[in-house]
Structures are given as C-alpha cells and as structure tokens.
Amino acid sequence: MDSSKIGGIIAAKRRALGLTQQALAEKLHISFQAVSKWENGTANPDIEMLPQLAGILNTTTDALLGYSAAAVSIYEARYQQEGYYWGLVPNRLCYEVLQKKPPVKPWRVLDIGCGEGKDAVFLARNGYQVSAFDISETGIAKARALAENNGVHVDFFLADAADYRPEEEFDIIYSSGVLHFVAVGVRQELFDHLKSHTAPDGLHAVNVFVEKPFIRRADDKDGCRQLWKSGELFMYYHDWMFLRADEEIFDCNSGGVPHKHCMDILVAKGGDKQEI
C-alpha cells in the first residue's frame, strides 16, 4: 500500500466531513497521533481497520486504497448514460415492506446497494427514514438528484456491500439485486451483523440471484458475480419468522439482451419468539 496516497485520501475525506483528526481517532478508538501518521504518510492503518474506517468516512475500502468506484462497479458506465438505467418504478419488494411494516412512524430503513435510488426515494416518499448506499459514485449522484426532485431527504452515501457494516440500529434492512457481489465466505458474517443491528420486531426484505443449471448465465465480464444456491438465503434466517419465502424465474432485458433469472425472495421478521 502506498502510505502517502492512502494518507492523502483519508485526510481529504475526513476534511470533507468536517472531522478533526481527534474526532476521527475517537470514532476508531485510537490516538490522534495514529491518524496524523496515516495522513503524513509515515504509517498505514491496519488492514482489519479499513472497513470501519471506510464506513466512518462514507466511502469504500477500494476508494481508500486508491481504486475509483468506476473501476469496481460494472454499472458505473451504465449510470452515466442519460436517464435512469433501472427506470423509476419501485421494485415489488418495496410494496412488501409497506404491507408488512407500514410507516405508522418514520421507521429507519437501510437500503443496501441502492443503485440510482428509485427504491430508497419511494420508501422516503411514503414516510420512512431512509439511509442508502451504493458503490457507484454516479449512481449516488443520480439518487440524490432524484430525492431532491421528489422533495424528500435520503441519507445517500458511498459504500461497498461486501465490507460495509452499519454501526447504528435500523428497523428495516432492504436489499434488491446486489448481494451476488458479496463473496460466499463473507455472507454468514454479513447477515449476523445486519441481524444484530436490527431493532426488536425489525424487518428484513432481501432478494438474491440463484444459480440454476437450466438457466444460461448472463455474461459476467468482470467475474465478480457469485450467484446463490437455492435456499441459501433462507438458512441465514433460520431463527427469524418468515413472512415470505419464495423462488421466482423471470425474464429480464437489462443490457439490451433478453435473458432469464432465478431469484430467491425473503421477507423475515426478528424479535422475540412467537407463540404458535
């Protein structure tokens, strides 16, 4: 790792958030001298600290290491095109959230991999308090514009679903069409963390792309997609109440090439044990 390059990135992002070296150090439970050494290029943060540091600085570990979001997001170029790549119609999973946990109060929502923000903005328009992140800088910029055009506030920020771990608690965790970019070996730890940072009686609404031998896999030029096995998602929630657990095969035309997908869809509720 290039110490001077990483230090410069940390310093720039810290200042952009209005944080002092002392404030950043306190969030990381380290000395401000350590932060000063990073920014002076005389030392690097420990590698196990990078995900936490990236989360505090509203960025990704790749960005901290000097890799631009455009280099790691296959959708960056697509989002730079005119209009909204995924359109503006919210995913059906949003309506599951409305039905299963209606906004009788401003429930706190985390949208993982929000893309250009259509689902996050839809949920905010319906009264939820939404935080949402994506790895694509262009996607986040368009999401902020969409929120502004709709007269709502969403806390959009840059992060990578593979290594971002929320520190605060949410009432609803939502994720659609992104978790195939999370490596198999990380998934158990990720879901354990998300569940532990969900409020009592909280809700998770998640879908994942599933691999089937009879469905031809779409081209994966960067080789970073890792499709799920049927039922794998459900196993991570064996201790929660299932409100919906389905598998669907559907047609898709993303990228202009007609193809099919198989998807597992889960809406699950945490909280105390329920009497049967």
Side-chain angles (χ1 to χ4, degrees):
M1 293 188 290
D2 186 331
S3 298
S4 61
K5 185 175 182 179
I6 295 171
I9 294 170
I10 292 172
K13 292 187 178 296
R14 173 181 63 78
R15 294 188 189 109
L17 292 172
L19 293 173
T20 63
Q21 290 183 342
Q22 181 66 45
L24 177 58
E26 289 175 356
K27 289 178 178 291
L28 293 166
H29 305 292
I30 59 175
S31 68
F32 81 89
Q33 290 92 340
V35 176
S36 179
K37 287 181 180 179
W38 298 344
E39 296 186 359
N40 289 333
T42 58
N44 280 325
D46 293 335
I47 192 165
E48 61 267 20
M49 188 177 287
L50 288 177
Q52 183 184 6
L53 179 59
I56 292 170
L57 296 177
N58 285 353
T59 187
T60 69
T61 55
D62 292 284
L64 284 179
L65 295 173
Y67 302 108
S68 69
V72 294
S73 172
I74 64 169
Y75 294 109
E76 186 70 19
R78 298 175 186 177
Y79 292 163
Q80 289 174 358
Q81 299 173 10
E82 186 177 354
Y84 282 77
Y85 181 76
W86 299 111
L88 296 176
V89 178
N91 189 283
R92 286 181 296 165
L93 197 58
C94 290
Y95 295 98
E96 295 271 354
V97 172
L98 282 169
Q99 180 184 34
K100 301 297 194 298
K101 199 170 182 70
V104 294
K105 59 187 294 187
W107 301 117
R108 299 157 297 174
V109 178
L110 177 65
D111 183 353
I112 298 174
C114 64
E116 300 163 298
K118 64 180 179 64
D119 291 351
V121 169
F122 173 82
L123 292 171
R125 288 179 60 195
N126 280 277
Y128 296 94
Q129 180 182 321
V130 185
S131 297
F133 70 85
D134 199 87
I135 198 172
S136 167
E137 293 181 2
T138 301
I140 290 297
K142 294 176 76 172
R144 287 173 176 153
L146 184 63
E148 183 176 356
N149 289 340
N150 280 271
V152 296
H153 172 75
V154 177
D155 178 22
F156 287 113
F157 59 97
L158 276 172
D160 186 341
D163 59 29
Y164 176 75
R165 301 294 181 268
E167 295 184 350
E168 60 185 299
E169 193 174 71
F170 290 90
D171 301 293
I172 300 168
I173 303 288
Y174 175 91
S175 183
S176 178
V178 71
L179 293 177
H180 52 291
F181 291 112
V182 175
V184 175
V186 177
R187 293 171 184 173
Q188 181 70 63
E189 182 272 330
L190 170 62
F191 283 101
D192 285 346
H193 185 94
L194 293 175
K195 288 160 65 180
S196 70
H197 285 73
T198 302
D201 205 34
L203 188 79
H204 284 197
V206 181
N207 60 40
V208 297
F209 289 111
V210 174
E211 188 168 17
K212 292 291 187 182
F214 51 83
I215 297 179
R216 183 176 177 274
R217 187 166 177 172
D219 291 338
D220 183 11
K221 295 179 181 178
D222 61 355
C224 61
R225 294 187 180 96
Q226 298 190 41
L227 299 187
W228 293 57
K229 302 296 184 185
S230 284
E232 179 187 351
L233 173 64
F234 309 144
M235 292 300 296
Y236 296 126
Y237 288 87
H238 66 89
D239 52 344
W240 280 36
M241 177 182 290
F242 288 11
L243 303 181
R244 180 188 178 193
D246 285 334
E247 185 165 277
E248 294 182 353
I249 294 175
F250 60 93
D251 295 317
C252 182
N253 197 42
S254 64
V257 179
H259 55 282
K260 291 183 180 293
H261 287 297
C262 183
M263 179 169 275
D264 277 5
I265 304 163
L266 177 69
V267 180
K269 178 182 177 182
D272 297 332
K273 293 181 179 179
Q274 304 289 319
E275 293 185 3
I276 299 177

